[in-house]
Amino acid sequence: GQQLNQSPQSMFIQEGEDVSMNCTSSSIFNTWLWYKQDPGEGPVLLIALYKAGELTSNGRLTAQFGITRKDSFLNISASIPSDVGIYFCAGGGSNYKLTFGKGTLLTVNP
Amino acid sequence: NAGVTQTPKFQVLKTGQSMTLQCAQDMNHNSMYWYRQDPGMGLRLIYYSASEGTTDKGEVPNGYNVSRLNKREFSLRLESAAPSQTSVYFCASSPVSGSEQFFGPGTRLTVL
């Protein structure tokens, strides 16, 4: 089946630093999504990307849909303590399902 | 709009007991999904319903059954719970299959 490789697995940064994480796949996706999950909560959609090459921002977050349709990255600028959580990428294909990465655990030191 | 709601939030079962996890969405979405989340395993799809009246197996369907009761509601049933089913269960919905999914708050299930 399809698999996503998400990296890094975890990051420990200082408040104010920029963060970058990415997902790669051997398969092509039609949609790339980025979610954030806080402890004890469900994943919350941050950014949705629908076209190869698309670059989308949501406040301090920026994500891109790779031109090959096999990868995507998420950048967070000027991190703050509430950015702490697990970030997941997900790829959507021609079927009804999403394929999820295993997540990047972000810790921000105030 | 409440979005996606799940009940119960927490549940403890003994091995062999049965229970049904409930999920409802008020966004008029066509597709609904059940996932389980385990440490180090990410989100794994158990069952999904592309539209009202249809259900299909996902990646890890063994030991589970589902019912798409109507467009709003999608339930997950454990007929005979096993300790391996201890997990956090999430329901999600999407307006169009393969598009963005919106998740509920989860049910934390422990099977002793």
Side-chain angles (χ1 to χ4, degrees):
Chain A
Q2 296 174 318
Q3 289 190 351
L4 290 185
N5 297 311
Q6 185 171 351
S7 64
Q9 280 189 313
S10 62
M11 302 182 75
F12 187 94
I13 62 170
Q14 296 295 121
E15 183 176 358
E17 289 183 352
D18 296 344
V19 172
S20 185
M21 59 191 78
N22 69 84
C23 278
T24 60
S25 172
S26 57
S27 304
I28 289 173
F29 289 108
N30 298 327
T31 308
W32 279 98
L33 308 169
W34 285 92
Y35 290 86
K36 182 190 178 210
Q37 186 175 23
D38 291 329
E41 307 280 336
V44 174
L45 182 65
L46 298 174
I47 292 181
L49 302 158
Y50 299 103
K51 276 176 56 175
E54 181 180 357
L55 185 71
T56 297
S57 293
N58 178 7
R60 295 178 295 106
L61 277 60
T62 301
Q64 183 156 32
F65 191 143
I67 198 73
T68 65
R69 295 166 62 193
K70 293 183 178 180
D71 63 328
S72 177
F73 72 75
L74 175 70
N75 287 343
I76 304 173
S77 62
S79 59
I80 59 178
S82 62
D83 289 335
V84 165
I86 303 176
Y87 292 80
F88 292 98
C89 63
S94 57
N95 57 23
Y96 300 108
K97 299 175 279 189
L98 295 179
T99 301
F100 285 86
K102 294 194 174 173
T104 294
L105 174 62
L106 178 64
T107 304
V108 180
N109 192 31
Chain B
N1 276 3
V4 179
T5 56
Q6 293 183 238
T7 55
K9 284 188 74 72
F10 301 94
Q11 184 71 48
V12 178
L13 293 177
K14 293 181 180 178
T15 297
Q17 288 184 316
S18 61
M19 79 160 296
T20 300
L21 280 64
Q22 307 286 354
C23 173
Q25 52 92 9
D26 62 0
M27 297 176 282
N28 200 35
H29 285 173
N30 288 318
S31 303
M32 297 185 75
Y33 310 81
W34 276 105
Y35 293 89
R36 60 179 289 172
Q37 186 177 41
D38 303 292
M41 301 295 289
L43 286 158
R44 293 184 291 171
L45 183 64
I46 304 171
Y47 270 93
Y48 66 100
S49 171
S51 60
E52 188 179 355
T54 69
T55 59
D56 282 289
K57 295 178 181 179
E59 185 183 350
V60 288
N62 291 345
Y64 305 95
N65 284 302
V66 291
S67 295
R68 182 76 182 265
L69 304 170
N70 47 57
K71 191 171 186 179
R72 290 187 64 248
E73 298 171 286
F74 189 38
S75 63
L76 178 72
R77 182 158 179 85
L78 287 70
E79 290 291 350
S80 179
S84 61
Q85 294 178 305
T86 293
S87 188
V88 182
Y89 291 86
F90 289 102
C91 177
S93 69
S94 65
V96 176
S97 57
S99 71
E100 65 269 22
Q101 293 180 14
F102 298 87
F103 284 80
T107 294
R108 283 140 190 86
L109 175 67
T110 301
V111 183
L112 302 174

